[in-house]
Structure formats: structure tokens, C-alpha cells
Amino acid sequence: MSNKLPADVAKEVKERVYKEAERVDYLALSRTDSGAFQVRLVNQEDVGGVIGKYVPKAEIKTYIKDAILNRYSKDKTEEARPSDLKSIIKSIYDFSSEETHKEPKIHLFRSVSDQVPNEYVVVAEGTMVKWETALRKALLFTAGKPFSSSGATVRFLLLLFAQHKPVPPSDKTHLDQALTLSNAKAYVFGEK
């Protein structure tokens, strides 16, 4: 038995799982419901049954989770992610900027406004649930960069995906209060 599905079979199974994930609004499921959904997929003949022809039975759920649902989550995040970060920075910090550096999930913008010279915004991407991970990425990125010790003002903007779940106003308020301590702000997207 091979550990890899043939490309055409993998594509068909992926399409079925994506369709089911859309139907149940997978990203909005609780951890318990997400686990139950994965078990249902394992037991579905046209998903788990097909995968079971190519991978050991004990690995079917892992295959569904790691090879298909993780990709689904990343695709949905990318679909919901705002494309114009400069306009978000303008609306939050009230200055125009240009992107000067980009890494996966980290962006550096520099002010191009005469009114606020020598200002930087480090944008770190993450999820609302794990906002502290995005803040940590921003802080670690900044610590080793020359602009952070040049007398420049460095601000942090966390671009947080709500995973198609509603975010209570009280959570946003508490997050804003916590981020104020780090000269950071949050921009939440992909909320229901």
C-alpha cells in the first residue's frame, strides 16, 4: 500500500472534503465539532474509504487533517485576507506608507508622509484566537532590525483572521487594551 494518493484521486477527495467543509462552515466549528467532522469524513466511503486504499487505516484521519483540511484553512484565510495593507495602515495610523520588506506573515511599512517621518509599522499576520503569536512574531522581527534602534517610531499592527467566527465586542476591547501596552493595534478580518 502506497502512502501517497495518485494525483487524480487526491484531487477528487480534496474537492469532496472542501465541499463538505463549506457545507458545515468548518472554520467556525469548535474544536470538539471539528474533531467529530473529521471522524465523519474518515467514515465516509467516498473520502476515508478512498484514502484507505492508499494509506494505512490509522493514518486516514491524519491525512484528512494535515493534507486537506489544513490546506483548506490556509486557502480560506488567504481568500478573506485584505489585499491592501497600505489603506488599513492609513485608516488606523493616519499616514501614507510603502512596503519595504516582506516575509511570510510579516510585512514592514515605512511612512512616506512628511508629517510623520521615520515611522514604521510592522504588520504580523495571525488568528484572533492566537493573537499573542502574531505579536510575538512582530516583536522578534523588530528586535534584530536596525530601524528599531535608530530613533524611529515602531508600531505594530496585528492582522488577525477571525476564522469566520463572531468576535464579541468585549474581546476586541480587551485585546485593544492589552495591545496598547505594546504600541500595537489589531485589525480583525474574516468575522461572521
Side-chain angles (χ1 to χ4, degrees):
M1 197 179 323
S2 168
N3 278 337
K4 188 171 183 202
L5 279 66
D8 58 330
V9 174
K11 183 179 180 214
E12 286 178 27
V13 171
K14 176 184 169 188
E15 288 171 359
R16 284 187 199 110
V17 172
Y18 271 43
K19 189 175 181 179
E20 283 296 304
E22 284 292 315
R23 188 181 65 73
V24 301
D25 198 7
Y26 175 72
L27 293 180
L29 295 178
S30 68
R31 184 172 286 233
T32 303
D33 291 340
S34 173
F37 173 68
Q38 291 170 28
V39 169
R40 282 197 308 273
L41 291 173
V42 168
N43 294 326
Q44 260 182 245
E45 193 54 42
D46 62 346
V47 176
V50 172
I51 295 168
K53 294 176 183 175
Y54 303 95
V55 301
K57 184 174 179 157
E59 296 175 20
I60 295 172
K61 185 176 179 186
T62 301
Y63 181 89
I64 291 169
K65 182 177 179 235
D66 293 349
I68 303 174
L69 290 173
N70 283 351
R71 178 80 258 157
Y72 173 82
S73 296
K74 288 176 183 173
D75 290 348
K76 295 306 276 183
T77 301
E78 195 55 36
E79 282 176 27
R81 185 185 173 280
S83 59
D84 186 8
L85 297 178
K86 289 192 285 190
S87 67
I88 294 170
I89 291 169
K90 175 80 170 159
S91 71
I92 292 175
Y93 294 113
D94 198 29
F95 61 78
S96 297
S97 62
E98 66 181 1
E99 188 169 28
T100 61
H101 183 82
K102 182 178 181 179
E103 296 177 13
K105 300 192 182 254
I106 289 278
H107 309 263
L108 178 63
F109 288 83
R110 182 181 57 80
S111 168
V112 293
S113 171
D114 292 336
Q115 290 79 17
V116 283
N118 213 19
E119 296 229 6
Y120 291 86
V121 178
V122 176
V123 179
E125 299 179 37
T127 63
M128 184 66 191
V129 174
K130 294 187 178 182
W131 63 267
E132 68 281 358
T133 302
L135 179 59
R136 187 174 131 266
K137 277 188 248 179
L139 292 168
L140 290 174
F141 170 80
T142 304
K145 302 295 186 254
F147 70 87
S148 66
S149 59
S150 66
T153 301
V154 181
R155 302 171 188 272
F156 303 105
L157 176 61
L158 307 184
L159 193 62
L160 303 174
F161 183 37
Q163 298 175 297
H164 302 291
K165 299 174 186 169
V167 179
S170 60
D171 285 3
K172 287 181 183 176
T173 300
H174 290 126
L175 176 60
D176 288 342
Q177 290 170 345
L179 291 178
T180 298
L181 301 171
S182 300
N183 199 22
K185 295 195 181 267
Y187 181 87
V188 179
F189 69 97
E191 187 177 1
K192 258 204 168 167

